[in-house]
Amino acid sequence: MNTELTQEAIIRFSGIHVAFGSNRVFEGLELSVRRDEILTILGESGCGKSVLLKVILGLVPWQQGSVNVDGHTLSPGHDSDLLAVRRKVGMVFQGGALFDSLTVFDNIAYPLRERGISDRAQLRKRAGEVLEMVGLPGIEAKMPAELSGGMRKRVALARAIAEAPKVLLYDEPTTGLDPVNVRRISELIVALRERLGVTAVVVTHDLASAFMISDRIAMVAERRIAAIGSNESLQRSSDPRVRRFLDAMPLGSTEALPGGGP
Ligand SMILES: Nc1ncnc2c1ncn2[C@@H]1O[C@H](COP(=O)(O)OP(=O)(O)O)[C@@H](O)[C@H]1O
Ligand SMILES: [Mg+2]
């Protein structure tokens, strides 16, 4: 096994440039995600938060720089480690898209089958385990349309953890949910980190949720990480880009957990 990883970063972006034609999204992005932390990414709509997550999985093309994920390096034209990276990294996509025509069981089994696991008893067992972890035991036979929005997000989460990833990427996991479900998903993200020991990178618009769950918060602006630090240091920041963003957003109806704010 690979033991040369001495630095604490499990993901490291180095000098990333991403452009879609003339739309330059990142220019020289640098960011390290620490092993076992929950890092939240904030930033205005369209600033590149989803792109940043997709770079990790090789889902968008980029022009310069490299991303190291737990010892595997991806760079433009060098994606031989992509499969290895995808095995280690699970993603809960924006909207938490489930396959509407498949049962909850088949949704969760899907990525496992893609990986060549076909033993039904094994798939059943794994689906049962991950549904229990997200607090939805026994709903294997239900169709997505029968579930509430909050439940669908939790099934998407169950699907993402089914492959036992080392890193989970969450793209706006609480968007569109009511405050009770925002809190439930936020608590689940923290609980899964404790229980599975996964590192989490969470993109959110929800400041209350960010302050509730994060070890550190990074703010994307002007094609880079404009600021990064503890919740408290972000809240105290005098950087005008941070202030503009934080001051424009009310903390919302969800209380911050202890340590999450004054
Ligand atoms: N696959 C793509 N093709 C072309 N442009 C894209 C693609 N994905 C994202 N973009 C553009 O990149 C920018 C950042 O998008 P995105 O990361 O989705 O923003 P957000 O911060 O809201 O998640 C936007 O201008 C968007 O239009
Ligand atoms: Mg997005």
Side-chain angles (χ1 to χ4, degrees):
M1 287 299 289
N2 165 354
T3 52
E4 89 288 339
L5 252 189
T6 48
Q7 76 275 53
E8 57 172 0
I10 189 165
I11 301 176
R12 188 185 296 278
F13 295 84
S14 307
I16 300 284
H17 289 240
V18 183
F20 299 100
S22 60
N23 181 9
R24 294 171 297 144
V25 181
F26 289 117
E27 289 189 316
L29 174 86
E30 303 281 335
L31 174 64
S32 288
V33 181
R34 297 174 181 163
R35 197 176 290 276
D36 298 334
E37 76 171 333
I38 298 180
L39 175 70
T40 296
I41 312 281
L42 297 175
E44 287 171 20
S45 194
C47 71
K49 302 180 298 298
S50 296
V51 164
L52 190 153
L53 297 185
K54 288 176 182 171
V55 163
I56 299 170
L57 289 169
L59 297 175
V60 289
W62 77 95
Q63 286 76 40
Q64 269 185 59
S66 64
V67 186
N68 187 286
V69 183
D70 202 26
H72 303 284
T73 302
L74 306 176
S75 57
H78 294 89
D79 61 359
S80 55
D81 278 0
L82 193 52
L83 272 182
V85 168
R86 287 182 181 168
R87 292 227 162 97
K88 290 186 174 181
V89 181
M91 180 150 172
V92 180
F93 286 93
Q94 200 164 349
L98 298 175
F99 301 110
D100 289 330
S101 61
L102 300 182
T103 62
V104 166
F105 169 73
D106 285 319
N107 265 283
I108 293 170
Y110 190 90
L112 300 172
R113 287 178 169 135
E114 291 274 285
R115 270 177 61 180
I117 300 168
S118 57
D119 179 66
R120 193 146 179 99
Q122 198 184 341
L123 293 171
R124 286 267 159 216
K125 178 163 177 289
R126 190 64 187 144
E129 283 168 1
V130 294
L131 283 172
E132 193 270 321
M133 280 185 216
V134 301
L136 295 172
I139 67 157
E140 284 88 340
K142 293 217 181 291
M143 299 302 289
E146 298 176 76
L147 307 176
S148 69
M151 289 167 85
R152 278 201 293 274
K153 298 252 182 188
R154 281 146 77 195
V155 172
L157 195 41
R159 181 173 61 187
I161 59 179
E163 295 181 275
K166 285 189 159 187
V167 180
L168 270 174
L169 310 177
Y170 298 89
D171 200 352
E172 310 223 2
T174 60
T175 299
L177 298 180
D178 60 79
V180 171
N181 274 300
V182 168
R183 192 173 183 100
R184 191 177 276 157
I185 296 282
S186 302
E187 286 170 351
L188 195 50
I189 292 171
V190 173
L192 288 176
R193 188 265 298 268
E194 305 304 325
R195 185 152 171 195
L196 304 176
V198 287
T199 305
V201 184
V202 185
V203 163
T204 186
H205 267 108
D206 190 320
L207 273 189
S209 172
F211 286 121
M212 207 188 294
I213 66 176
S214 309
D215 296 305
R216 292 191 304 156
I217 297 177
M219 164 109 204
V220 175
E222 297 169 357
R223 307 187 182 101
R224 289 165 189 239
I225 301 298
I228 183 165
S230 66
N231 302 354
E232 295 75 14
S233 75
L234 256 280
Q235 276 176 324
R236 282 199 309 266
S237 171
S238 56
D239 184 308
R241 297 163 300 188
V242 176
R243 287 266 58 96
R244 200 167 57 230
F245 189 82
L246 295 189
D247 294 345
M249 294 231 176
L251 259 182
S253 48
T254 317
E255 283 168 45
L257 292 175

